[in-house]
Every structure is written in structure tokens, then in C-alpha cells.
Amino acid sequence: MYSPSLLQNIPTQRRARWQLLKEIVADWYPPLSDADGFDHATIAQAEQKLGLCLPLALKEWYGLAGRRADVWSRQDELIVPGELVHYRNSLLNTQERQSYQDALIFYVENQACQLWAIKLEALAMDDPPVVINPGKWIVNSQTTSEFVLQVFASGIKWSNPLQWIHGVAEPALLACVEENFPKLGLAEWWYWGRGTFYGFRDIVIEVVRESTRDVRIFVSARAEAAFEGFMQFISTDNFYCEASWDD
């Protein structure tokens, strides 16, 4: 019997979510230490250069784990406090200036195909929504603290887990996932498409629905038994493998 994922139930309180973050980082990476966050002075200096006050949740994330590039920036990139103003100014100097001026972008997909931000009008909130798609910002995550947990779960696939596979899934395989792996407590988010998470403590399955016909699946496991438990459902009829890693 597989152990339940630490992400099975997501706390509603922000502080409890940070405690959960500490626990799941320690599950998949070296544990967080006091050296892994930015100090208050560094964050305050970034705010001064921006001329903006950062939301409490964003500052807490930076202060807890903002220096952990191995967690947040293996593929995509967390814009660290000292780079926020440079990144913002570089965007405001482009032809698409109008698209970027009403939000603070702080997380970027590796080819800048997706940009995640907080609307300037929401910066005064303790735990504001995270939006996506410049020019017509839409809510991606209801709170910044949940966005952090979603990014963590999605980023596991870039973290060199023990075993990993990625490909295109047919409806039959998706049905097997839904029937045999619990849906995690994270809300649906956007990563190239509508992303949903399933799994147990030793395995994370991210299903990304780019369209009704194009559904990709990323499976990351830190234990061989969990990986084999998933692989038993795969066949040439229900899955096309695009990449895999088996240490």
C-alpha cells in the first residue's frame, strides 16, 4: 500500500502551507536551511528599487526558500528579489510594454512562453492571486501560497527523480490514472495547458491537457515500486513515450 502524498490535503492557512512546503522539500530534495532564504534587508532593497511593496506571501516565499534554485529554477525561473526590477524594466522597454505594465512578473517559463505575475492592484493583499498571460491577465492560482505548492509539484519532473517518463496519453490511460491514483489537493493550474496532479508520496503524476485531443502526462517517482505501479497501466495503445529517465 502506497503512503498518501503530503499534497493530498492542502491547508487553507498560509502559514500551514509554508510548513507543508518545508516537509515536501525534505521529501524530494535536501531539506531547507536558514541559508536558503533571502533576508529582510535584501527584500526591502528590492522593494525600494521597484517602488512597490511586495505581498506578504511573496516575501515569505523568498525568505523561506527563495535561494533554492535547485527547486524553483531547474527548468523555469523564479525571479529573485534583486532581479525583479531589472526584469520588469526590460519588459517595459519592449514593444509589448502595455501588456506588462499593470502586473509584477516573478516566475517565467524557460522559453518565456508563460509568465506568472501578481496584478499591481493586488500587491497590498497578504496572499494575492497569481495571474498568467500578459495583455489579458487571467487568474492561474487563487493565492500565491498555493501557486508555490503547484510550482513545486510541477517542478519535480525537472529534478532528476529516480525514475521519470513523459509522453502523450490516450483517454484509456487517463482513466487508469484517475481510477488508481488519488487526485492531489492542489487546484488545477496552467502549464502549457490545464494541469492536474495525482499520486502518492513517492510518485507525482502531472496531467496537462493542451486540448481535448492533446493530453500530456509527466510521471516522476522517487521509488522503483511506485514507478512500476504506474508502468503496469501503460501499453502501446494508450501511451506514446516522448522522453524517459530510469536511473
Side-chain angles (χ1 to χ4, degrees), residues 160-175:
N160 296 328
L162 179 65
Q163 292 168 307
W164 175 84
I165 194 167
H166 160 231
V168 178
E170 295 295 329
L173 179 57
L174 298 177

Side-chain angles (χ1 to χ4, degrees), residues 26-102:
D27 248 14
W28 289 86
Y29 301 89
L32 293 175
S33 72
D34 292 342
D36 290 336
F38 291 95
D39 58 35
H40 294 297
T42 300
I43 297 171
Q45 186 178 43
E47 290 179 305
Q48 184 177 20
K49 290 181 177 179
L50 278 166
L52 299 169
C53 290
L54 301 180
L56 185 57
L58 183 57
K59 291 193 286 188
E60 289 173 339
W61 181 20
Y62 281 141
L64 177 64
R67 294 184 183 274
R68 287 294 295 270
D70 62 321
V71 178
W72 312 117
S73 300
R74 281 183 179 269
Q75 175 79 359
D76 307 319
E77 183 181 4
L78 171 64
I79 308 300
V80 298
E83 295 299 320
L84 285 172
V85 68
H86 303 300
Y87 194 81
R88 179 168 174 77
N89 288 342
S90 68
L91 290 174
L92 294 181
N93 286 329
T94 65
Q95 291 183 344
E96 295 82 12
R97 179 179 184 277
Q98 188 68 29
S99 297
Y100 304 122
Q101 64 182 0
D102 62 343

Side-chain angles (χ1 to χ4, degrees), residues 96-214:
E96 295 82 12
R97 179 179 184 277
Q98 188 68 29
S99 297
Y100 304 122
Q101 64 182 0
D102 62 343
L104 177 66
I105 294 165
F106 66 93
Y107 203 79
V108 183
E109 191 265 343
N110 73 313
Q111 297 181 54
C113 295
Q114 307 285 354
L115 302 175
W116 290 274
I118 297 170
K119 296 288 292 291
L120 298 189
E121 64 193 34
L123 290 180
M125 298 173 63
D126 285 349
D127 200 2
V130 173
V131 295
I132 191 171
N133 292 343
K136 189 179 180 180
W137 296 109
I138 59 173
V139 173
N140 180 88
S141 307
Q142 293 298 322
T143 61
T144 302
S145 60
E146 182 168 32
F147 174 80
V148 174
L149 298 175
Q150 290 167 322
V151 167
F152 178 90
S154 182
I156 285 173
K157 63 181 176 285
W158 311 123
S159 68
N160 296 328
L162 179 65
Q163 292 168 307
W164 175 84
I165 194 167
H166 160 231
V168 178
E170 295 295 329
L173 179 57
L174 298 177
C176 287
V177 170
E178 292 172 353
E179 291 170 6
N180 294 278
F181 295 87
K183 185 175 181 296
L184 300 186
L186 297 165
E188 182 179 278
W189 83 315
W190 190 267
Y191 192 86
W192 304 332
R194 295 184 296 110
T196 309
F197 299 98
Y198 301 83
F200 294 100
R201 188 159 188 173
D202 290 331
I203 187 169
V204 174
I205 302 169
E206 183 178 10
V207 176
V208 180
R209 292 173 171 83
E210 298 186 45
S211 69
T212 54
R213 294 187 177 182
D214 191 355

